[in-house]
Every structure is written in C-alpha cells, then in structure tokens.
Amino acid sequence: MTHTDQLTDVRSTPRRKVLISGASIAGPALAFWLNRCGYAVTVVEKAGALRSGGYPIDVRGTALDVVRRMGILPQLQDAHIDLRRLTFLDGNGSEVTSLHPHAVTGGVAGRDLEVRRGDLTDALYMAVRDDVEFVFNDSIDTLDQSDHGVDVTFRGGGSRTFDMVFGADGMHSRTREMLFGPEEQFHRYLGYCFAVFTMRNTFGLSHETVMWNTPGRAAALYAVGDDEVHAFLNFAQPEPPFDAYRDPDAQRDLVAKVFADAGWEVPGMLAAMRDADDVFFDGVSQIHMPRWSSGRVTLVGDAAYAPSFLTGQGTSLALVGAYMLAGSLADRDHAAGFAVYEHDTREFVTLNQGLVDEGGATLFPTTAQALEQRNNRLRNLSSIPFAEGRPAHSALTLPEFTPMT
C-alpha cells in the first residue's frame, strides 16, 4: 500500500481551533501533528494526570517512521525493554520451549521497540506540551454541531466552540457513543477476558516472559526489570461478562473462580491480585466501524479501530492513524480531510486487525488438541528472530506533508 499524494500546508489560513478527547497515545500524537499543521489544539483528559508506568507496548513497522519524524525515536530506543526470552509451560509447569519473543510476535530484533506505556506517553507529552493546551480532570459532556463549528460543554463546567473535535478516548469511547450510539454495535468480542496487574518479582525473572497454559486459560509473568513483574491472567469466556466490567470486586471474583484449581504460580498471582491497586480487567475485543467520522467530529486509534492486544498493533495503529489524520487535514477542510483519512488508512487498519487469529491461536488455544498443536508448532520454530516483520506491520508508506513552521 503506497501513497503518492503530497500533503501541503495552506500557511495563510488563520489558526483553526480543535479539541482532542484523550491524552494517552493517539491524542498527544495527533496534537503534535495538528499543531505542526497550524491548528490551535486543546487536549482534554478525564484523568487528573498522565498515567505513568503501565504494561509494555510495541512500536513496529510504519509506526517507527512516525516516531522518527516526531524526533522521539532516540528517547524510545533508550527506553527499549529488550525482552530476551519467552518461555512456554504446560499445565504441570514443565517447559514446552523457550524462544526469542520476536520468533513468536513477528517483531524484528534491533529495529522494533518495546517500551513501558508510560515511557511512550511521557515522550509524546514532552514533545507537544509547550505548544498545546492540556486540560486534565475534565471531559466532554455534550457536542452540538452546526455550520460554524462544534459547541462543546464540559463536565467540569463551561463551554467552548471548536472547528473540529477528535475522539481519541479509547475502546470504550464516550465521543463515539455521543456521535454514533452504543458501543455494542461496533464491538466485536473475541471470546476472552483478561486481567493485568503488577506484583513483586520473587521469581528471579529478568527481561523475560514465562507463560503457563491449559486449554482456555493462560497465566503469564512479564519481567521488565528485576523488581516487579506484570502478572497477566487470560481466559476463554463465551459471552462478555457485562456485569463485571464496572465492578472491580466482581472482576476479581470471576478471575479467581476461573483459575481456582490452577497450578504453577497461579495461586500466588491470585493472592497478589486481591491486594493490587492497579488491576486492569477487560474483554478481548475489537472495534469495527463502517465510517469513523460524522460532520466535524472523527475518531482515531482504539476509539475507531481497536485491534485488541492479540495483534500487538494497538499502539502502532494509534500512532499511524494520528499521523494520517493530521496529514489529511493539512490542506483540506474537515469533510475532504476526513474522507482522505479513511480512504488512505482503512486498508492498513484492516490488515492489522486481521492478525488477531494468529495471536489467539498462538497464545490461548481453547482445546487440548489445539494446545498440543500449538506446542508442537512452537517447538519447531527457529530460535532466530525474523529478519523482516509481518507484512501488515509495514503495509503503509507514510505520505509526506509540509508542516507549518
């Protein structure tokens, strides 16, 4: 997939005011590029501050070109985790095989990056904080579109008018719900739930992941450094547990019930989960939408096209989508720009969302036969990482556009 359009600035245009909802990854990345294109950007974030720390995320393929153009690639390279080993265990805790992670993920050693989520969000924020208005501890309450712009009222009080509004507020996007209706119509549940949290590293692990599997269940310990590990519990669940999504106690109860008879280190992980203050629980899902915009409002990142962690491409899609959206608006009005953004980005999104089957089959087989087949495939994998990543990771060549100075 290549792009030949050269996107250019109209430097004489007065600075148009735009609002971005969400300050995780897609939001600040979009703010950076829109500011470079001459827009006056405000970012509103419901949290009181940037979320530091967090689980590791991947930046691969085309997204590496985005962060290079932003000037933050060296900073991310310094923060690279350099995970060195991925070990799979059977239900008895015996080793199935141990591989370099890239042999499984399709990443490219020495090129693709894995960093703590907070390291990326900090780098994005530092790159744009002096040029963009950030409003924390607030969110959009209502949107009212008209010919002259979008009238926005905020939950914290007050109202303002913007030329455009962008929803970068994640899979469970409030902006999307206001614009297009309930999430259920776009939500594609993939049959799993997961919980992730941090716990003390009492296992002697360093820069490695160990994953235990039985049919329909997986438990993993992900050691970024030496002091703590990210604990991960994933399980097959035929229907999404809607009652648990907003009830932390119900989430813990559900996970504990599913893993009640599990061996290996799982009992200790369940005990740590009860005391952890950073448990994140959700269903494994994707977002599929026939269109990403309506009027003067559009969506970017997980809000528009969440691929699920099974693809390993959520962060990369957010970064690439932000660049493509801003570039499409560099010399166009909202209607033409949104159309170009969808046209030029959708194939890349579709290819990367399509990686989900590979991830599910590799990490979380749901039957004994499928698990044994998976284990046999893993044993036969070369321990040498790929020289090239999966084609979907780099299936889009970024167009050039001339930012304002």
Side-chain angles (χ1 to χ4, degrees):
M1 190 193 312
T2 60
H3 297 254
T4 56
D5 288 345
Q6 301 297 303
L7 307 177
T8 58
D9 255 354
V10 179
R11 300 179 189 277
S12 60
T13 302
R15 282 169 65 86
R16 289 175 286 176
K17 298 178 181 179
V18 298
L19 175 67
I20 300 170
S21 176
S24 180
I25 293 172
L30 179 61
F32 177 92
W33 292 112
L34 287 175
N35 174 69
R36 294 285 298 274
C37 292
Y39 290 89
V41 183
T42 298
V43 180
V44 63
E45 167 58 47
K46 66 181 180 180
L50 291 179
R51 297 175 177 87
S52 61
Y55 50 85
I57 55 174
D58 299 296
V59 182
R60 300 184 182 123
T62 303
L64 289 168
D65 197 15
V66 175
V67 296
R68 180 185 61 79
R69 296 184 187 198
M70 295 181 75
I72 63 173
L73 179 59
Q75 184 176 346
L76 297 180
Q77 289 172 328
D78 289 342
H80 178 56
I81 291 170
D82 191 25
L83 192 69
R84 298 159 192 164
R85 183 166 59 242
L86 172 56
T87 301
F88 290 89
L89 307 178
D90 63 20
N92 296 321
S94 300
E95 181 174 315
V96 173
T97 189
S98 187
L99 300 162
H100 191 284
H102 290 322
V104 177
T105 65
V108 180
R111 188 178 74 189
D112 292 352
L113 296 176
E114 188 167 22
V115 298
R116 292 176 176 87
R117 185 180 185 86
D119 288 334
L120 176 58
T121 57
D122 286 348
L124 293 170
Y125 178 69
M126 294 290 286
V128 77
R129 65 177 182 176
D130 293 334
D131 302 309
V132 167
E133 176 190 14
F134 280 83
V135 180
F136 290 99
N137 201 31
D138 206 350
S139 61
I140 297 172
D141 189 34
T142 65
L143 297 170
D144 185 17
Q145 299 194 59
S146 65
D147 291 340
H148 69 275
V150 186
D151 297 324
V152 179
T153 61
F154 295 93
R155 293 196 170 186
S159 61
R160 293 166 66 177
T161 299
F162 298 90
D163 291 284
M164 287 176 279
V165 174
F166 304 93
D169 45 349
M171 176 180 289
H172 306 300
S173 168
R174 164 78 172 150
T175 308
R176 185 186 60 233
E177 183 178 13
M178 287 189 285
L179 203 63
F180 293 102
E183 177 180 317
E184 287 74 17
Q185 59 188 314
F186 311 115
H187 182 276
R188 184 174 297 179
Y189 179 64
L190 299 175
Y192 303 97
C193 291
F194 70 95
V196 62
F197 51 95
T198 54
M199 60 185 291
R200 290 180 56 214
N201 184 1
T202 60
F203 312 99
L205 302 175
S206 180
H207 295 276
E208 61 184 304
T209 296
V210 180
M211 178 175 287
W212 169 94
N213 283 94
T214 60
R217 298 187 299 181
L221 295 170
Y222 193 132
V224 173
D226 299 322
D227 297 331
E228 66 179 18
V229 296
H230 297 278
F232 177 82
L233 295 164
N234 185 91
F235 58 96
Q237 180 81 6
E239 298 295 331
F242 292 113
D243 292 344
Y245 282 152
R246 291 177 173 84
D247 185 343
D249 289 335
Q251 295 166 9
R252 287 173 166 84
D253 290 343
L254 177 59
V255 175
K257 179 180 178 181
V258 171
F259 286 90
D261 63 344
W264 187 53
E265 302 288 352
V266 176
M269 296 170 71
L270 294 176
M273 179 184 67
R274 288 292 184 187
D275 297 330
D277 60 4
D278 63 348
V279 177
F280 178 76
F281 177 94
D282 207 348
V284 182
S285 308
Q286 294 184 331
I287 295 295
H288 290 259
M289 302 186 70
R291 57 191 176 96
W292 303 332
S293 64
S294 178
R296 293 175 175 267
V297 185
T298 195
L299 306 172
V300 64
D302 280 356
Y305 34 78
S308 93
F309 75 82
L310 292 176
T311 69
Q313 283 295 91
T315 298
S316 294
L317 284 185
L319 291 167
V320 172
Y323 179 93
M324 295 297 290
L325 175 53
S328 298
L329 292 166
D331 62 345
R332 300 179 177 91
D333 65 14
H334 66 275
F338 291 170
V340 169
Y341 160 56
E342 294 201 26
H343 178 272
D344 290 356
T345 313
R346 187 172 287 276
E347 184 179 351
F348 182 67
V349 166
T350 300
L351 287 171
N352 282 279
Q353 286 187 321
L355 297 174
V356 68
D357 292 333
E358 297 178 37
T362 298
L363 298 177
F364 313 121
T366 56
T367 68
Q369 181 180 9
L371 180 57
E372 183 57 31
Q373 291 172 343
R374 190 283 308 261
N375 289 345
N376 288 335
R377 288 196 302 272
L378 291 174
R379 293 185 186 103
N380 292 327
L381 276 180
S382 169
S383 61
I384 302 173
F386 292 120
E388 296 294 333
R390 290 197 172 108
H393 296 171
S394 303
L396 187 154
T397 300
L398 295 181
E400 299 290 339
F401 69 93
T402 306
M404 293 184 70
T405 57

